[in-house]
Amino acid sequence: MSGDIATTGTVPTTPVGTGFRARLTAPLLLGSVLNPLNTTMISTGLVAIGHHFGVGAADTAWLISVLYLASAVAQPVLGKLADALGPRRVFLAGLVVVCASGLVGALAPAFGWIVVSRLLLGIGTSAAYPAAMAVLRDEGRRVGRRPPRPVMARLSFAALGSAAVGPTLGGLLVTFVGWRGIFAVNVPVSVIAFCCALLWIPADPDRGTDGEPAPKPALDPLGIGLFTTALTVLVFFLLDLAHPMWWLLAPFAVLGAVLLWWQLRCRAPFIDVRMLAGNGPLARTYLRHGLSYLLIYCVMYGFTQWLEEGRGYSSGHTGLLMLPMSLAALVCSLIGARTKGIRAPLIVASVLLTAGAALLAFVSGATPLGVLLLAGACFGIPQGLIGTSNQAAVQEYAPAADIGAAAGLQRTAQYIGAITASGLIALAYGQRAHDAGLHLMATASAVLGVLLVALTVTDPALRRRR
């Protein structure tokens, strides 16, 4: 049978060469930008939100962590639901939650409601990417061929590009609309994506065979609960490193041990520990990815807060100052997508992250503007290279049958890195961003950057040519 024909035993009625039209991919792209856009767009609004509600940097750090906490759990769960219940249903349900979260944030009367909005936002936006991948898979089965590379590249670029432009867009919204605009913008975007999805995404195919009902999703609720609880305890510890609650490490260790025990015995585990233990290259890719984004988000959130509170720039000006970083990330994501190798881009990215962090350790309120722009660019270039290169590494090293779960774990590693970054920012700044706090955060980031360089250069899997 030809490689362009689905291996179902029958030739599809749809001619090969059709399918994957713009109408199908448009709502998928629109929905997929919501999570990465909201993760970075908030960075230039944290100071304004803190001033409005009278809270400091240690409290606004929760707005970062809660979205990543929700996303780290929701992304793989919703991916499994998309496979079992149908991606169109999950995609539409996620957009409804996004719309609701935008309304809650835009109308929030107290800071606690902003935290709830970000929690809902993390859950709702997590449906888009795994559902989009499942929609493309189903379309491939319908037309008898795999999703074309350009379609997959557009999906990846939409996520990377929206994350890169988030700080600039957030700064403009805060300047011209107010910080509530960062939340309100999700309402029209989700409504448009919902309407387009209703019109252009085909109805979910029958998940059953021979008239039998579709299999129930194997969600491992105990594993999900243990993972969520352990991660929540870790977040509480990380967000108050200035006054560490060491006793939290005891329940975290117990929860982690029980989670490991259960995942080794569960038939359909939430995290496939056996697969990770037997796949060193993939496990190192997750470690490298999480550490890289820890450094990136330290700048994405910590540097922007310092530009406003330590340097005195407005949210709009801060967004414009982050524009070179955004443009560098966009350009380098395209370069990374076209690069065949993995090792060289990752080495360049890790070295630049370390250099950028070292540069920030010496800036102050009197530092020339050009140096600040250079520091931002040092983090923008790695942001573009790391996303595409580590994605290629996951595709290279993950078992083909588990590529969906492997991709979800890559996102989870990224979210854990971001959560750790928010804890480091809270420790460095306390209630207000200042020079000493920036220098502490930058020094810690530089040390971690050296570790990242060592991990990348010495990884034997990256040296081998495939």
Side-chain angles (χ1 to χ4, degrees):
M1 184 177 292
S2 169
D4 286 338
I5 302 300
T7 56
T8 58
T10 60
V11 177
T13 57
T14 305
V16 173
T18 63
F20 304 104
R21 296 176 178 174
R23 286 190 173 185
L24 174 69
T25 58
L28 302 181
L29 294 174
L30 195 57
S32 295
V33 306
L34 287 169
N35 186 278
L37 182 64
N38 278 282
T39 60
T40 60
M41 188 168 54
I42 193 74
S43 63
T44 44
L46 291 173
V47 172
I49 293 172
H51 288 171
H52 182 87
F53 291 108
V55 299
D59 295 307
T60 56
W62 271 105
L63 301 182
I64 305 169
S65 296
V66 73
L67 185 140
Y68 285 113
L69 178 62
S71 299
V73 178
Q75 194 118 40
V77 171
L78 292 174
K80 290 185 178 182
L81 285 176
D83 285 334
L85 304 179
R88 185 173 183 263
R89 296 184 181 95
V90 173
F91 188 84
L92 293 173
L95 291 172
V96 171
V97 177
V98 172
C99 184
S101 72
L103 292 172
V104 170
L107 303 174
F111 181 73
W113 286 100
I114 300 294
V115 177
V116 171
S117 172
R118 294 284 289 178
L119 174 66
L120 293 174
L121 196 58
I123 296 172
T125 58
S126 291
Y129 181 73
M133 296 297 288
V135 166
L136 294 177
R137 177 202 60 202
D138 290 343
E139 180 72 359
R141 291 173 177 171
R142 186 182 71 83
V143 302
R145 64 190 181 109
R146 293 181 178 181
R149 274 184 171 270
V151 173
M152 304 300 293
R154 285 196 292 270
L155 198 64
S156 177
F157 180 72
L160 290 170
S162 57
V165 302
T168 301
L169 177 59
L172 294 174
L173 285 171
V174 172
T175 300
F176 295 105
V177 181
W179 63 263
R180 294 183 187 272
I182 293 176
F183 296 89
V185 72
N186 289 288
V187 177
V189 175
S190 61
V191 169
I192 293 171
F194 186 92
C195 294
C196 292
L198 276 179
L199 293 173
W200 297 334
I201 296 179
D204 293 320
D206 186 8
R207 277 8 217 191
T209 57
D210 300 326
E212 295 294 328
K216 294 183 179 180
L219 291 181
D220 183 19
L222 179 57
I224 294 170
L226 288 169
F227 178 80
T228 304
T229 307
L231 199 57
T232 302
V233 171
L234 180 62
V235 169
F236 272 101
F237 175 79
L238 290 174
L239 288 186
D240 195 14
L241 292 176
H243 307 89
M245 294 179 283
W246 297 109
W247 62 270
L248 286 175
L249 296 181
F252 174 73
V254 171
L255 288 165
V258 175
L259 174 63
L260 177 62
W261 173 83
W262 174 246
Q263 297 303 274
L264 290 172
R265 285 158 178 77
C266 182
R267 292 185 177 180
F270 178 64
I271 299 174
D272 194 340
V273 178
R274 294 185 187 279
M275 184 270 288
L276 287 177
N279 193 332
L282 184 61
R284 291 192 296 272
T285 297
Y286 292 149
L287 176 60
R288 185 172 58 243
H289 193 68
L291 185 55
S292 299
Y293 273 90
L294 188 162
L295 301 179
I296 289 171
Y297 284 120
C298 273
V299 172
M300 192 78 71
Y301 300 119
F303 185 42
T304 52
Q305 289 185 66
W306 177 83
L307 286 172
E308 293 184 49
E309 292 189 321
R311 189 63 182 257
Y313 290 117
S314 67
S315 296
H317 288 153
T318 298
L320 292 176
L321 287 172
M322 299 298 283
L323 188 57
M325 186 183 79
S326 301
L327 294 176
L330 283 171
V331 172
C332 289
S333 65
L334 291 175
I335 295 174
R338 293 174 178 270
T339 302
K340 293 183 179 180
I342 297 175
R343 186 171 185 260
L346 288 175
I347 291 176
V348 171
S350 59
V351 170
L352 284 175
L353 284 175
T354 306
L359 182 59
L360 289 180
F362 296 97
V363 304
S364 66
T367 300
L369 180 60
V371 177
L372 300 180
L373 294 174
L374 176 62
C378 283
F379 286 87
I381 294 171
Q383 187 180 350
L385 295 177
I386 285 169
T388 53
S389 298
N390 280 332
Q391 185 179 39
V394 170
Q395 292 174 338
E396 178 80 15
Y397 303 128
D402 299 322
I403 190 65
L409 285 176
Q410 181 192 5
R411 290 287 183 94
T412 298
Q414 180 175 328
Y415 301 144
I416 292 175
I419 291 170
T420 307
S422 64
L424 181 57
I425 293 169
L427 169 65
Y429 287 157
Q431 294 301 310
R432 183 177 178 82
H434 44 78
D435 287 359
L438 177 65
H439 296 162
L440 173 62
M441 183 189 69
T443 302
S445 297
V447 172
L448 293 173
V450 172
L451 174 61
L452 177 62
V453 172
L455 287 172
T456 305
V457 171
T458 60
D459 191 337
L462 294 177
R463 295 200 194 102
R464 293 194 296 265
R465 290 182 177 270
R466 296 288 177 117

